[in-house]
Amino acid sequence: MPKYYEDKEEDGRACGGVREDLRQCLLESPCVLQENKSPKQCLREGHCRSLQITFFACKRSVVSFCSVFSSASGL
């Protein structure tokens, strides 16, 4: 269950809450805890996929939002 809505330290970066949830999901996954693989390797193997998709969608929306403003300022 995503925890980005709960009290956490303020990240300040875009999509910080989802980033933290993805990190926690990976660190608590059986892939890391039982198989002793790195979180990066577990991510490549498809663990926590829904949070990964949510995080990338969030980052994509930030980039899209910034590009709208940069193209509008050139008018």
Side-chain angles (χ1 to χ4, degrees):
M1 180 61 137
K3 300 175 186 173
Y4 57 86
Y5 52 83
E6 294 180 4
D7 293 330
K8 286 191 174 186
E9 291 181 25
E10 193 61 35
D11 189 335
R13 294 182 286 183
C15 309
V18 180
R19 178 192 318 263
E20 176 65 21
D21 287 344
L22 178 58
R23 185 181 76 81
Q24 277 303 119
C25 178
L26 288 167
L27 291 175
E28 295 171 1
S29 70
C31 180
V32 171
L33 295 176
Q34 295 170 358
E35 298 174 27
N36 296 320
K37 295 180 182 177
S38 72
K40 190 174 188 176
Q41 188 175 3
C42 294
L43 190 63
R44 284 190 201 128
E45 292 177 3
H47 295 271
C48 304
R49 189 75 174 149
S50 61
L51 280 171
Q52 182 184 20
I53 291 168
T54 302
F55 177 65
F56 289 145
C58 180
K59 294 295 279 187
R60 222 178 357 259
S61 70
V62 170
V63 171
S64 296
F65 185 71
C66 290
S67 66
V68 167
F69 278 106
S70 65
S71 65
S73 64
L75 293 175

